[in-house]
Amino acid sequence: MQSSTDSAQIILNRTTKTLNRMIKFYVAHKTMKYIHSQKTGDWENLEDELHNSYPIKGVRVRN
């Protein structure tokens, strides 16, 4: 039988993993939305723009 401390740690680990996956999904979604809305007609300069003055900000959950 697991102690309440062990159960709390399992819940914390699963919550942290889930939040990290959600953040990765959010960043991927925002990136694709940006590319689609801004670069549909100007796709030739996309690579240069993503490397110069990078327009996408990072996201993170602090615990």
Side-chain angles (χ1 to χ4, degrees):
M1 185 168 176
Q2 292 182 343
S3 70
S4 62
T5 306
D6 292 339
S7 296
Q9 188 62 41
I10 290 169
I11 292 169
L12 177 63
N13 289 341
R14 288 183 182 174
T15 302
T16 302
K17 287 179 183 180
T18 299
L19 288 173
N20 284 329
R21 288 180 186 140
M22 290 172 69
I23 290 169
K24 288 178 184 179
F25 174 79
Y26 172 80
V27 171
H29 173 73
K30 293 298 273 186
T31 302
M32 293 307 297
K33 187 175 179 180
Y34 173 80
I35 291 169
H36 179 70
S37 66
Q38 298 294 321
K39 296 299 165 187
T40 301
D42 187 25
W43 56 270
E44 296 92 353
N45 295 319
L46 176 63
E47 184 176 348
D48 290 336
E49 183 178 337
L50 288 177
H51 291 285
N52 295 323
S53 65
Y54 198 67
I56 299 167
K57 305 292 183 209
V59 178
R60 169 179 136 165
V61 174
R62 296 178 71 179
N63 53 358

